[in-house]
Amino acid sequence: MILPFTEDRDTGPFFAAARENRLVYAACEHCGRGSHPPAPFCSHCREPRSAWQEASGKGRLYSFTTVTHQIHPDYPAPYVLVVVTLDDNQDVRLIGRIDGDAALEIGQPMEVWFEQVADDVTLPQWRPASA
Amino acid sequence: MMEDLALAARDKCAIVGIGKTEYSKDSGRSTLALATEAARAAIADAGLSPDDIDGIVRCDMDRTMPVSVAAGLGLRRLHFWGETGPGGTAPSMMIGLAVAAVLSGQAKAVVVYRSLNGRSEDRFGSPSGPRARAGGFGSYDELYQPYGLLTPGQHFAMMAQRHMHEYGTKQEHLGAIAIACREAANRTPHAQMHDKPLTMEAYLASRPISLPLRLFDFCLESDGACAVVVTTTERARDLAKPPVTIRAVAGGQPSDTRAGMMFPALSRGDVTDIGGRQAAEELWRRAGLGPQDMDFAQLYDCFTISVLLQLEAFGFCRAGEGGPFAASGAIARGGSIPINTAGGNMSEGYMHGLNHFYEAVRQLRGEADNQVEGAQAGLVTSGLYPFGSAVVLGRNA
Ligand SMILES: [Zn+2]
């Protein structure tokens, strides 16, 4: 398992929240546009007022790929990588992984879940939303 | 109003020499040995000597340093060195740096090179064994790699999937691009895939890697080096080969720029929005030419989808129509805009796109293996993530 560096000054709070099973994203306090990756400045209105917002954990599938050629021993193929646009903020798209094969359709509702991958690391993951 | 120096710079510089090594799967040599061989060949091709070279430009992902290449070439008076990138975005901007150095008087003749052992030593996306934690320090890999998003191919697969969703692009459309590159390589003896024809049937049956991308949607992994020499067009007229002039250079950024190299681009408002769109707009203005004036296009081809997006971005067809356009035969030999006429990164060899300049110069000198008859002007593009850059070259202005 490739573990993330969780102490980065700009992205660390994403992982700190995930450890508490919370999903957060960065957005501009001035214009409301989201930043992902999280940035200390807003590239839309140029204000340096980025703040962490609580996300609902709901989103839509933007794209995906079924990985069939294994690259890393800790990520056995096949698996599906998903890109999910947050319902809360269309500027923010997050990555998730579904192990095995999965029949997915772009646009379908997705929901977050939290996968603890190490004592001190939890990843927000995504799966098709339950009805 | 300020004088537009970009227009004043039109055709003021030229590529006067080109050089390459063999492209292989295992060079058995260091990248410094490769870089030096390619640079020496380019200098000799121009009819110059290392004593004439006072500038070096490299790609920021190259393992060799300018100082090492200067030593390898036996340079005595180096006055300019520079580097740019990242990766596939570099080659056109490397030419731009060389032009900037020459026109500002910082160098008289600049060697531009790319060397890599991309198969035998540094394979993209290969597992790096026991490692420290991923990402941090502005790489943003911590947000992507822990999920198993590890390679450019997986990233471009999601772009392709989205393009298929939005525009109805089909697997066969991507296949047409792979086949156009392969057919060009089949006519080019030095191409790594020279002896390997590719049919649509074989393309569709090829091994899935990261769907919708298959084996033949990917570029090659190659060992080798390639180099060109840039000087003024005035000086070029006295040299060994007909000058190929640099008519315009431009870079561009996507409309929704995100920090980071590649994976963060998945958050762009439109993931198919590439820096090439803006680069194209500025490039055509600076060149005073348009896509309809190009006799060929060497399009950066890390993947088939990259070519498709650039056909749209550079105006050869409208947004969303890259698939049917590619399948129409327009990009093949004899079509309205033959692409990657030596096979490109997909079938010639992966010199990270600098090989596209080598081939473009051969076309405009009339010395290509797969010659476009009477070629007068051509486009070379470099990359699409995170930025894009491109050059228009012309014949002996
Ligand atoms: Zn803002």
Side-chain angles (χ1 to χ4, degrees):
Chain A
M1 190 78 200
I2 297 174
L3 295 176
F5 179 69
T6 57
E7 309 300 320
D8 183 88
R9 288 186 167 116
D10 287 341
T11 68
F14 176 83
F15 294 102
R19 271 195 294 274
E20 300 167 358
N21 287 5
R22 293 186 301 119
L23 180 67
V24 299
Y25 64 96
C28 174
E29 287 187 301
H30 180 69
C31 75
R33 296 289 301 267
S35 283
H36 194 78
F41 283 77
C42 174
S43 65
H44 299 284
C45 75
R46 299 171 177 153
E47 286 286 325
R49 285 192 279 157
S50 186
W52 292 93
Q53 313 285 332
E54 296 284 332
S56 66
K58 304 289 181 198
R60 298 266 169 182
L61 184 64
Y62 180 78
S63 194
F64 63 96
T65 178
T66 306
V67 178
T68 48
H69 175 80
Q70 189 166 322
I71 297 290
H72 190 287
D74 293 347
Y75 298 83
Y79 61 92
V80 184
L81 291 166
V82 297
V83 184
V84 175
T85 308
L86 295 192
D87 282 355
D88 314 81
N89 193 307
Q90 301 290 304
D91 294 318
V92 180
R93 293 201 195 108
L94 302 177
I95 294 291
R97 186 189 69 256
I98 298 172
D99 290 323
D101 210 348
L104 300 173
E105 213 170 308
I106 286 179
Q108 77 180 62
M110 304 290 284
E111 66 184 15
V112 79
W113 64 281
F114 293 92
E115 180 187 23
Q116 187 170 358
V117 293
D119 285 349
D120 61 338
V121 181
T122 295
L123 296 179
Q125 287 281 15
W126 292 90
R127 63 189 171 204
S130 45
Chain B
M1 200 175 128
M2 207 172 123
E3 182 192 0
D4 194 333
L5 293 172
L7 304 189
R10 248 184 220 172
D11 295 322
K12 288 287 191 297
C13 287
I15 297 178
V16 295
I18 55 174
K20 60 180 277 302
T21 65
E22 179 192 12
Y23 301 153
S24 73
K25 287 183 173 179
D26 186 0
S27 68
R29 294 186 291 160
S30 70
T31 51
L32 177 58
L34 297 169
T36 306
E37 180 188 325
R40 284 171 64 97
I43 294 165
D45 180 61
L48 292 169
S49 117
D51 289 332
D52 299 308
I53 303 300
D54 60 355
I56 291 182
V57 170
R58 71 159 198 165
C59 167
D60 68 1
M61 287 172 75
D62 214 281
R63 290 278 182 191
T64 61
M65 293 187 291
V67 62
S68 305
V69 174
L73 291 171
L75 301 190
R76 304 281 185 262
R77 296 189 65 83
L78 186 67
H79 294 305
F80 177 87
W81 56 93
E83 68 175 27
T84 185
T89 305
S92 290
M93 201 51 80
M94 284 156 71
I95 299 295
L97 266 185
V99 168
V102 169
L103 291 185
S104 63
Q106 296 186 75
K108 287 189 168 64
V110 179
V111 165
V112 175
Y113 75 94
R114 179 75 172 108
S115 63
L116 70 171
N117 279 326
R119 170 75 196 189
S120 66
E121 286 181 354
D122 283 329
R123 300 182 68 177
F124 284 112
S126 50
S128 42
R131 50 182 291 164
R133 292 191 168 190
F137 310 104
S139 71
Y140 304 108
D141 285 343
E142 68 272 29
L143 296 166
Y144 304 95
Q145 288 190 355
Y147 292 91
L149 174 50
L150 302 170
T151 67
Q154 295 163 354
H155 172 92
F156 278 90
M158 290 193 275
M159 296 171 65
Q161 187 85 268
R162 186 69 197 184
H163 200 277
M164 289 173 161
H165 172 77
E166 286 187 21
Y167 301 112
T169 304
K170 295 178 167 56
Q171 190 86 59
E172 289 82 356
H173 295 153
L174 299 179
I177 293 167
I179 290 167
C181 292
R182 184 61 65 88
E183 286 176 351
N186 295 150
R187 302 175 71 97
T188 303
H190 75 246
Q192 285 186 274
M193 291 300 189
H194 175 240
D195 295 325
K196 297 191 173 71
L198 177 65
T199 62
M200 184 62 81
E201 195 181 16
Y203 166 82
L204 291 171
S206 68
R207 188 159 58 88
I209 302 287
S210 190
L211 287 170
L213 298 187
R214 299 169 171 279
L215 180 64
F216 294 130
D217 290 300
F218 282 61
C219 60
L220 303 172
E221 295 173 297
S222 310
D223 287 9
C226 173
V228 305
V229 177
V230 173
T231 186
T232 62
T233 301
E234 192 183 358
R235 178 122 186 260
R237 295 188 204 290
D238 301 327
L239 298 181
K241 293 286 179 72
V244 169
T245 58
I246 299 162
R247 189 165 177 89
V249 185
Q253 66 176 104
S255 55
D256 185 7
T257 299
R258 305 292 173 125
M261 167 72 188
M262 179 169 56
F263 301 140
L266 292 167
S267 277
R268 287 178 186 170
D270 171 5
V271 76
T272 66
D273 175 9
I274 56 173
R277 282 190 204 168
Q278 192 187 79
E281 190 182 313
E282 183 63 7
L283 183 77
W284 298 134
R285 188 190 73 78
R286 290 180 181 179
L289 298 170
Q292 71 285 352
D293 300 310
M294 297 297 105
D295 297 307
F296 61 81
Q298 315 294 346
L299 301 176
Y300 182 69
D301 49 338
C302 43
F303 302 95
T304 49
I305 181 67
S306 328
V307 171
L308 190 153
L309 292 175
Q310 290 174 105
L311 287 169
E312 298 175 1
F314 284 85
F316 295 105
C317 61
R318 283 188 297 198
E321 293 180 357
F325 182 78
S328 73
I331 63 172
R333 182 176 169 84
S336 58
I337 184 71
I339 65 158
N340 303 2
T341 50
N345 293 295
M346 297 200 56
S347 278
E348 178 195 13
Y350 186 74
M351 292 301 111
H352 227 151
L354 193 60
N355 48 312
H356 281 319
F357 279 94
Y358 185 95
E359 170 64 8
V361 167
R362 295 205 308 160
Q363 286 288 345
L364 292 166
R365 288 175 176 176
E367 62 182 37
D369 294 301
N370 181 29
Q371 184 66 44
V372 175
E373 285 313 315
Q376 296 291 320
L379 172 71
V380 181
T381 70
S382 300
L384 49 185
Y385 280 93
F387 296 144
S389 65
V391 170
V392 172
L393 296 174
R395 178 178 199 139
N396 199 3

